[in-house]
Amino acid sequence: MTPPRPRNRRLWLSYAGACALAWCLFVLAGSEFDRGLDPFWLAVYQATTMLWAPMLLGVAVWPLAGRLHAGDAGPAATALAHALAALAFSVLWQAGEFAVNATLFGADHAGAVLLAGLLWRSVWGLVVYATIATAFTAVLQARAARSAAIAAAQAESALAKAELSAISGKLNPHFLFNTLNTLIALTRKDPAGAEAALLKFASMLRYVLDTKRGAEDRVLLSDEIDFLRDYLALEALRLGTRLRVDWQLEERVLADELPPLTLQPLVENSILHAVAPRKGGGCVTITARRNALNHGLDLAVADDGPGCEPEALEPRPGQRRGVGLAALRKRFALDYDGQARLRIHTAPGAGFRVDLFIPQV
């Protein structure tokens, strides 16, 4: 018989403990301590000679239970196989006890003992086999359930990571497309300004490329803010004094971490809907502070634009507006095990505000 694999060590330790407990209970049941030690030693002898065979045979039930559990046989075939195995278990148990008694006391004595207890030992053989087979099958089913749960969790995690990567892939080209359009416009109107803008664009492009390794990357808030300042400086070359920015940043949160390109889509939406369409422009307020309750990172991007009805934010077939906002909403629904939050506050004439909460380790 092959030795148990390391992953089955706990199983066999439990099996050995159950065998030792059964042996002790058998000894206690047959002992009469008020009559001295002789009945005790007799009980020890009887327990040992009677139980060694089923204890060893029980080990062979494990691979049988494994094959029946892993096979595709129907319930009837499985029940028949267990019934035949139970009969074989009972026969081998009595054959082992007969061999021991024949060796110690001769064949006549062994035959007499076998005939005297044939019926009840046959019944006990079936009961003991059923108990062992049931226990082993329960272990196999528990392992299968645990493996299925782990596989499902891994598949869900892989799906979430793939979806986050797809979301990040949507954010970056969306940003780059708008930036290139701005550079083209500046090249025609202000070559010197276009040169300065190209330098900022090169710095921004390096940031984008450095943070495109995976959806689970994290960057410092200070790096995200530097990237955002370059982006706003580039937009200011196009919008001039119509674009006003109010920075409300706590120094102590600049070392916090967040997914890359978290703030830029929100600021871009504010510029697109609240600043660029209005002759007098508008103000974009960017806030970062420590959450007083759970010490996470609170972020907000707000504008003083026209706002909208909250119902207008619901996605509609064929609608292309708010790609960055929709992607961020889905991103925060998947990331951080659901602990991150994104909330929107808006109403007609009341501007537009997006609040983010990002937990920190």
Side-chain angles (χ1 to χ4, degrees), residues 200-220:
K200 293 185 179 297
F201 176 70
S203 175
M204 294 163 62
L205 184 61
R206 179 181 297 276
Y207 179 83
V208 171
L209 295 177
D210 286 345
T211 58
K212 200 172 171 57
R213 294 184 295 273
E216 29 190 51
D217 282 348
R218 301 289 181 261
V219 297
L220 295 179

Side-chain angles (χ1 to χ4, degrees), residues 30-339:
S31 299
E32 299 179 20
F33 294 104
D34 57 342
R35 296 176 55 189
L37 291 178
D38 289 341
F40 170 75
W41 292 116
L42 178 61
V44 170
Y45 161 75
Q46 290 177 340
T48 304
T49 56
M50 289 185 61
L51 297 182
W52 72 269
M55 289 178 179
L56 291 180
L57 290 171
V59 177
V61 177
W62 171 253
L64 173 64
R67 284 193 292 271
L68 293 176
H69 182 266
D72 54 358
T78 301
L80 178 60
H82 276 302
L84 295 175
L87 290 175
F89 184 92
S90 181
V91 170
L92 291 174
W93 180 356
Q94 296 186 70
E97 187 177 356
F98 176 85
V100 171
N101 287 329
T103 301
L104 295 177
F105 305 107
D108 292 339
H109 174 80
V113 172
L114 176 63
L115 292 175
L118 181 62
L119 179 60
W120 73 267
R121 284 175 182 164
S122 298
V123 174
W124 269 110
L126 300 178
V127 172
V128 171
Y129 172 85
T131 302
I132 296 174
T134 300
F136 283 158
T137 302
V139 171
L140 291 169
Q141 290 176 343
R143 288 185 177 180
R146 184 165 58 249
S147 298
I150 292 174
Q154 290 175 342
E156 185 176 355
S157 176
L159 179 62
K161 289 180 180 179
E163 197 160 2
L164 281 172
S165 297
I167 290 170
S168 297
K170 291 177 182 177
L171 289 175
N172 295 348
H174 184 252
F175 154 71
L176 294 175
F177 175 78
N178 286 284
T179 302
L180 287 174
N181 279 341
T182 301
L183 288 174
I184 292 173
L186 284 174
T187 302
R188 296 171 180 171
K189 296 179 180 179
D190 185 2
E195 182 178 356
L198 281 172
L199 293 177
K200 293 185 179 297
F201 176 70
S203 175
M204 294 163 62
L205 184 61
R206 179 181 297 276
Y207 179 83
V208 171
L209 295 177
D210 286 345
T211 58
K212 200 172 171 57
R213 294 184 295 273
E216 29 190 51
D217 282 348
R218 301 289 181 261
V219 297
L220 295 179
L221 176 60
S222 58
D223 294 335
E224 183 83 354
I225 293 298
D226 289 342
F227 169 78
L228 198 56
R229 290 185 189 276
D230 287 340
Y231 168 75
L232 287 168
L234 186 61
E235 290 284 42
L237 292 175
R238 178 171 62 94
L239 298 171
T241 58
R242 295 167 58 208
L243 172 61
R244 298 178 294 279
V245 182
D246 181 13
W247 297 93
Q248 299 180 9
L249 309 176
E250 289 186 357
E251 187 74 22
R252 57 178 176 168
V253 301
L254 293 180
D256 286 3
E257 294 184 341
L258 74 167
L261 299 177
T262 293
L263 295 175
Q264 186 274 334
L266 301 178
V267 173
E268 182 179 353
N269 278 342
S270 290
I271 293 175
L272 178 64
H273 300 293
V275 178
R278 299 160 65 192
K279 184 176 181 180
C283 178
V284 179
T285 302
I286 302 166
T287 305
R289 59 169 59 96
R290 175 72 64 228
N291 188 288
L293 295 177
N294 51 33
H295 304 290
L297 174 61
D298 281 335
L299 299 171
V301 175
D303 61 60
D304 58 357
C308 65
E309 292 286 351
E311 292 78 10
L313 299 175
E314 296 299 325
R316 299 173 184 173
Q319 185 180 21
R320 297 179 57 86
R321 295 178 62 187
V323 173
L325 182 60
L328 273 179
R329 187 197 298 272
K330 198 167 188 180
R331 186 184 203 179
F332 280 99
L334 292 170
D335 212 346
Y336 292 100
D337 296 325
Q339 298 180 26

